[in-house]
Amino acid sequence: MASGDNKQPGTETATAKVPQRRTLSLPSWLDGRTIAVLAGLASIAAMVQTSHSRLSDDIHRLRDEMYAMRTELRQEFRGEIAGLRHELTAKIEKLDERLRIVEIDVAAIRTHLIGFDARSPHDEPPHEPS
């Protein structure tokens, strides 16, 4: 046994112990059912996240579409308003010309009526005795 047997007492290597490997064991609460529940919850969370992401993308797409529609409608309204403004300005100018003609005619009639009293004698206020 002197030929290199390390298990003899009194040799240097006899006191050194070979470390034993510990086997990993799972906690008692982590059984098959718990793993199944945790896996189910993880898959549900993944589905919720996916649907939330898709919903968010749909909302952003709809928001962009609505913005484009609003911009298009604003441009159409601006065009329509400009057309109406031009048309109303032309009509107002025509009415202004007609009103000037009527004012001129009324002024001419007034100058012809200066000194002409068209009131009947019954419309005159009674004279007060002095």
Side-chain angles (χ1 to χ4, degrees), residues 44-63:
I44 289 173
M47 287 189 300
V48 168
Q49 178 64 28
T50 303
S51 64
H52 181 272
S53 176
R54 288 180 186 163
L55 183 62
S56 176
D57 291 343
D58 289 344
I59 289 172
H60 287 296
R61 184 178 44 81
L62 286 174
R63 185 180 297 157

Side-chain angles (χ1 to χ4, degrees), residues 29-104:
W29 57 268
L30 191 58
D31 58 354
R33 284 182 281 160
T34 308
I35 292 173
V37 168
L38 290 175
L41 288 175
S43 64
I44 289 173
M47 287 189 300
V48 168
Q49 178 64 28
T50 303
S51 64
H52 181 272
S53 176
R54 288 180 186 163
L55 183 62
S56 176
D57 291 343
D58 289 344
I59 289 172
H60 287 296
R61 184 178 44 81
L62 286 174
R63 185 180 297 157
D64 292 342
E65 288 177 9
M66 294 301 291
Y67 180 76
M69 288 173 60
R70 185 180 72 185
T71 303
E72 182 180 333
L73 285 174
R74 279 184 177 174
Q75 291 173 347
E76 286 181 25
F77 284 143
R78 284 181 183 152
E80 292 289 328
I81 289 172
L84 287 173
R85 184 177 291 139
H86 179 67
E87 184 179 344
L88 288 175
T89 302
K91 287 184 177 184
I92 288 172
E93 288 174 356
K94 287 180 183 178
L95 286 173
D96 193 36
E97 289 175 19
R98 289 175 64 190
L99 182 60
R100 282 191 196 125
I101 293 171
V102 169
E103 287 175 344
I104 292 170

